[in-house]
Each structure stands twice: as C-alpha cells, then as structure tokens.
Amino acid sequence: VTGRNDHSSTLPAKNRSYFYPSFSTGVIFTEIFNLPEKWISFGKIRANWARVGKDAPLYRLNNWYKAMPHPDEGYGVDPTRSSNPHLKPEMTTSWEIGADARLFGDKTKLDIAWFATSVSNQIVDVRVSPASGNILQTRNEGDIRNEGFEISWDQQLFKSNGFSWNMVTNF
C-alpha cells in the first residue's frame, strides 16, 4: 500500500494538492499448497490497483507576455494561447489481475494478465476560434479507457550441454 500527495504550482490554488494511492498483493500458491513439482514448480496470483496524478505544463494558468514582432518591438500578451485558471490535475487509474506459472520442470512458463487503464481530466491544448483572440487553450478535456488481456508463453524447445533454445510468444 502506498500513498502520495503532490502540490503543484502549475495548477490553481484550489486544485493544487492532489492525493493518489496504490495497492498491490500477490500470493505464491505453490508455497501454500503441496502441488506435484513435476507439473507445477511455481505459481503466483497477483493483483494491483493504482491512481497517479499529473499536473499542467508551465504558464497555463495566466496570460503571459512575450516579445512582439511589431516594428516598435515591445512586449504583449501571447495571442496564440489563452489562460485557464480552472485546470484540475490529470488522473490515471489502472488495475491488473494476473497469474504466473512455471510448469513441467520449468520448461514451460506462462504469464497471464487482464488489465485496464483510464485517464480522466486529460490536460490538452485545444484549438479555439481565432475570434476569441487566441488559437489554443489548455483544458481538462476528455477521458480515455484502455483495457486488454495479455498472455506470454516461454517454451524451452531444446537443452543440452549448457545450450538451450527457447521460444517466447506474446499475445
């Protein structure tokens, strides 16, 4: 179990502090149960859940000045990007459940995992109407979710006199 609290100067004061925890566990079931080692020499089940925060890039809360390309030079508010004093931290949440097994005298190794990741309050630069006086605005815009299933199979094909040949397949 872990916990972390970040404070960021690139976010507004009301959203500057954000907490994110994580939890993970695993059980090596071959140490608990008396299983035949010629069939399974190692077996583990694992699970985890985590949340991770991310702050905004620099200079996104307020308008800032830059050198202007006018004939008289000088400084002015950057017209390409508008400020956003309401940004929130981007949060990523993920979980995974999996199993790892060594079979047939460690000649076959299997790793299976089922996982998902979701991101909320993504911090992105969005094009806005030039009629607003700007081209881009940094916003909390959109959520995304990714999930999947993964299997890794490592099979020993040949072993003799200190030489071994394995095939690894990942799906």
Side-chain angles (χ1 to χ4, degrees):
V1 176
T2 67
R4 178 174 169 161
N5 194 77
D6 280 356
H7 295 267
S8 173
S9 62
T10 65
L11 293 169
K14 67 181 178 179
N15 296 325
R16 186 165 288 163
S17 174
Y18 50 99
F19 177 75
Y20 44 98
S22 70
F23 307 91
S24 65
T25 188
V27 174
I28 301 174
F29 61 85
T30 50
E31 291 184 3
I32 298 171
F33 303 108
N34 188 15
L35 301 173
E37 283 199 30
K38 74 177 193 171
W39 297 103
I40 181 165
S41 58
F42 177 82
K44 178 181 178 179
I45 297 173
R46 65 183 184 277
N48 66 61
W49 178 92
R51 178 170 285 150
V52 178
K54 177 182 170 189
D55 60 0
L58 292 172
Y59 311 118
R60 298 301 198 264
L61 298 179
N62 301 308
N63 290 329
W64 63 93
Y65 293 91
K66 71 176 205 172
M68 302 304 278
H70 301 288
D72 59 350
E73 297 182 3
Y75 288 85
V77 175
D78 184 354
T80 61
R81 185 183 314 277
S82 65
S83 64
N84 185 351
H86 306 290
L87 287 175
K88 298 175 187 171
E90 180 177 304
M91 299 301 281
T92 301
T93 304
S94 64
W95 59 264
E96 178 182 324
I97 299 170
D100 184 7
R102 306 292 183 336
L103 309 166
F104 314 117
D106 288 346
K107 292 179 183 174
T108 302
K109 300 173 185 173
L110 285 173
D111 191 307
I112 300 170
W114 177 35
F115 61 89
T117 301
S118 62
V119 181
S120 61
N121 290 324
Q122 284 185 300
I123 299 173
V124 294
D125 289 331
V126 178
R127 291 190 65 84
V128 294
S129 170
S132 69
N134 299 102
I135 297 171
L136 298 172
Q137 183 179 46
T138 304
R139 296 184 187 171
N140 291 107
E141 195 74 35
D143 298 331
I144 189 169
R145 181 171 169 81
N146 180 16
E147 60 183 272
F149 188 75
E150 183 175 14
I151 300 172
S152 178
W153 171 33
D154 182 342
Q155 182 65 51
Q156 183 183 86
L157 301 175
F158 179 80
K159 184 174 183 178
S160 176
N161 299 327
F163 175 79
S164 66
W165 183 19
N166 284 33
M167 171 192 71
V168 179
T169 304
N170 194 45
F171 173 79

